Amino acid sequence: MKNFRAYVALACLFVACKKEFKTEMNTGEVNTVAARAKPVKSTSQYTEYRIRAGQHYCDQNTIKSIRTTEMKFMARFDHTAQYQTIDPVNQYDINKLYGFSEGIDHQYNSARIGWAWNDGALRLYAYAYINGVRESSEITTVAIGAENACSIKVSGSQYIFTVNGISKTLPRAKATLSASGYQLYPYFGGDETAPHDIYIFIKNL
C-alpha cells in the first residue's frame, strides 16, 4: 500500500508542475555566448539529458524512487549551457542539475546541485528546500566540456554538497540516516524556459 501511494504521488509531478521560485538577484552585467555548434555526443558511460527549447523539464524524467545517504555522480556540460535570458534579471536564476526529494514534494524538502551561466562563467550551486523554504549557495565555477565530480551527502540535519572537492553545506529539515524520496533531473528555470536545446551529461557513480 505504501508503494502504491508513493507511485501515485510521484505521478502527480507530471500533472501539476509547480513554478520554481526565483533566486536572489545580482546586478552585475551578464556576458553570454550564443550556442552555435552541434552538441557533444554522449558516450556509453554518460546519460544524455536534453532540455528542449521552450521547455523547463528534460526529456528523460523516469519516475524513480530514491533512498540514499550520498548521491554521487559525474556531470559534464557542453556549449549549450551558455545562454542569454530574455529578461537580464533572470540570468541569475538557478537551473537544476541533479538531486533528490525527501518525501512526496520536492518544493518542501529536497536537495539538488544547481547550475547557471552568468557573468561569463558556468556556476554550480548547492540548492535545497527546507520545510518549504529555499536556500542556495554557490559552490564553484566549472569549465565547459570538463568532467565534474559531484555529490550530495546526508549528514544529520545538514546536506553536504561537493563539486570537484569543494564543499558547501545547507540545513536539512530531517535528521534520518538516509534520504527517501524520488529522483530529480535536469531542469531549466526560473521564470523562463530554455532559449535553445540544452544538453547535459550525467554518469551515476
Side-chain angles (χ1 to χ4, degrees):
M1 187 64 181
K2 288 183 179 179
N3 288 339
F4 175 77
R5 287 198 298 267
Y7 279 107
V8 169
L10 293 177
C12 290
L13 290 174
F14 300 93
V15 177
C17 297
K18 295 180 181 179
K19 178 180 177 182
E20 296 283 347
F21 293 102
K22 291 178 67 177
T23 63
E24 250 181 73
M25 297 179 292
N26 300 317
T27 56
E29 182 179 354
V30 178
N31 176 22
T32 61
V33 179
R36 297 183 181 90
K38 292 181 180 179
V40 172
K41 296 295 183 182
S42 61
T43 69
S44 59
Q45 294 181 315
Y46 280 83
T47 298
E48 176 188 279
Y49 292 90
R50 176 172 64 173
I51 304 172
R52 294 176 185 266
Q55 301 296 316
H56 287 295
Y57 290 91
C58 64
D59 288 345
Q60 302 79 1
N61 262 297
T62 304
I63 296 173
K64 180 182 177 183
S65 62
I66 291 291
R67 182 180 293 276
T68 186
T69 57
E70 184 175 15
M71 179 176 283
K72 300 172 72 175
F73 59 95
M74 301 294 294
R76 189 176 79 239
F77 297 83
D78 68 5
H79 64 278
T80 61
Q82 300 169 308
Y83 59 88
Q84 173 68 63
T85 58
I86 297 170
D87 183 345
V89 167
N90 292 334
Q91 201 73 41
Y92 297 94
D93 286 356
I94 299 177
N95 310 305
K96 317 313 179 295
L97 176 58
Y98 214 51
F100 52 85
S101 75
E102 293 213 65
I104 62 171
D105 184 353
H106 66 272
Q107 288 190 325
Y108 193 70
N109 283 307
S110 62
R112 284 177 281 185
I113 288 179
W115 67 279
W117 175 264
N118 58 58
D119 295 331
L122 180 56
R123 304 173 189 276
L124 298 192
Y125 299 83
Y127 187 97
Y129 278 97
I130 304 96
N131 288 336
V133 178
R134 186 191 66 250
E135 294 206 22
S136 62
S137 177
E138 184 174 333
I139 304 171
T140 188
T141 59
V142 298
I144 296 294
E147 292 186 312
N148 303 288
C150 305
S151 69
I152 306 170
K153 185 176 182 179
V154 170
S155 179
S157 58
Q158 287 187 325
Y159 296 115
I160 303 173
F161 301 82
T162 303
V163 176
N164 298 334
I166 302 170
S167 297
K168 289 291 178 71
T169 61
L170 290 179
R172 177 179 178 237
K174 300 177 182 291
T176 53
L177 294 177
S178 62
S180 181
Y182 53 86
Q183 178 77 56
L184 294 171
Y185 297 95
Y187 178 97
F188 188 92
D191 287 338
E192 297 185 26
T193 57
H196 53 253
D197 284 4
I198 294 173
Y199 294 83
I200 297 171
F201 305 89
I202 296 175
K203 177 171 63 176
N204 292 313
L205 299 175

